[in-house]
Amino acid sequence: MAKRALGHALDAVLGARSDVAVRWVRRPFILRPERKGFLPWLEVLTELSYARVGSRAWVDGFTRSMKENGREVGIEFNFGGDVGNSFDSLRAVAWAGTQDPAAALQNAFCDILHRNHFERALCVAKHENIVAAAAEAGLDAEACAAVLADPAAFADAVSADLAAAAHQHIHSIPQVALYYVSDLPAAAPDAKALADYVSHARPGAEAGGARSAEEYSAMLRAVLP
């Protein structure tokens, strides 16, 4: 939802500007790294609600708010699916990044995983759902299945990215940081190279939670010259 709202804000603020190129840099995050197996998403939220307020009041308000806010950016939340450990999906995303230097396939893969998980109740921790999403994105489904079948495949890379994200104080989702980088080379760097330039960039606004497109627009205007 945050990415969708930010995308709307970018369209509104940048308009026809030709002097600004947008590059999305993904940082991985696992909400419950200790989780094993699968649990119904709504059941998990309901247990959290009782732990917080002793009733269903919190979960009822949360799901209602998410559905209302989601519709504003074209997302129809469906809380009827399962949740699990997303480490394997992150391994598949890392693999997808090696299949296309421009990252178009990886971006499409991530968008499909998000849509399937949040709108179609297809848990991204389940291998069959990951492979189906890869195929829909135009990736090699058999190669994706082979990566998932090997627990070591891309595991070190994902673990390193998770550690780097934690070092950057990314401890929740969504976490958004906006930077205006003015000294990039002519050849567009990949996400890892871009991180080196971001460290030298003029930092912009940061938000640890979801914002509306209007709020993101204000953040963007604070960053852009």
Side-chain angles (χ1 to χ4, degrees):
M1 186 162 63
K3 181 176 182 290
R4 188 75 61 87
L6 180 54
H8 291 333
L10 285 166
D11 291 340
V13 173
L14 298 182
R17 286 185 63 166
S18 60
D19 61 323
V20 178
V22 177
R23 297 191 183 114
W24 296 89
V25 179
R26 299 180 183 275
R27 290 289 178 260
F29 177 79
I30 297 181
L31 184 62
R32 296 286 183 268
E34 76 285 355
R35 179 170 285 151
K36 305 293 183 183
F38 310 106
L39 291 169
W41 189 11
L42 192 57
E43 179 181 308
V44 171
L45 292 174
T46 301
E47 290 181 359
L48 179 60
S49 183
Y50 275 92
R52 287 185 171 186
V53 300
S55 71
R56 289 187 54 90
W58 178 85
V59 67
D60 290 343
F62 173 79
T63 53
R64 181 173 58 254
S65 175
M66 289 291 285
K67 288 179 179 180
E68 291 173 354
N69 293 333
R71 289 190 187 102
E72 293 182 1
V73 291
I75 298 174
E76 293 291 337
F77 277 98
N78 181 343
F79 294 92
D82 293 336
V83 291
N85 191 308
S86 57
F87 190 82
D88 281 352
S89 68
L90 293 176
R91 291 197 299 113
V93 168
W95 161 78
T98 68
Q99 303 303 295
D100 174 16
L105 290 175
Q106 185 190 49
N107 288 333
F109 182 39
C110 289
D111 287 343
I112 292 167
L113 286 172
H114 292 159
R115 180 206 65 195
N116 287 354
H117 183 77
F118 291 111
E119 299 187 71
R120 299 188 178 179
L122 297 171
C123 177
V124 295
K126 295 182 178 180
H127 287 191
E128 62 270 25
N129 293 338
I130 300 172
V131 172
E136 184 178 346
L139 292 158
D140 186 327
E142 291 187 3
C144 180
V147 168
L148 294 172
D150 178 4
F154 294 92
D156 288 345
V158 171
S159 294
D161 283 347
L162 287 169
H167 182 70
Q168 294 172 339
H169 308 291
I170 298 176
H171 302 298
S172 64
I173 49 175
Q175 183 86 19
V176 174
L178 304 175
Y179 294 87
Y180 173 69
V181 188
S182 60
D183 58 350
L184 288 178
D190 60 22
K192 289 185 181 297
L194 181 57
D196 296 332
Y197 288 92
V198 164
S199 66
H200 301 294
R202 175 163 58 88
E206 296 193 22
R211 297 289 186 269
S212 68
E214 291 75 16
E215 289 172 312
Y216 280 134
S217 293
M219 293 165 62
L220 285 166
R221 291 189 177 98
V223 174
L224 294 172

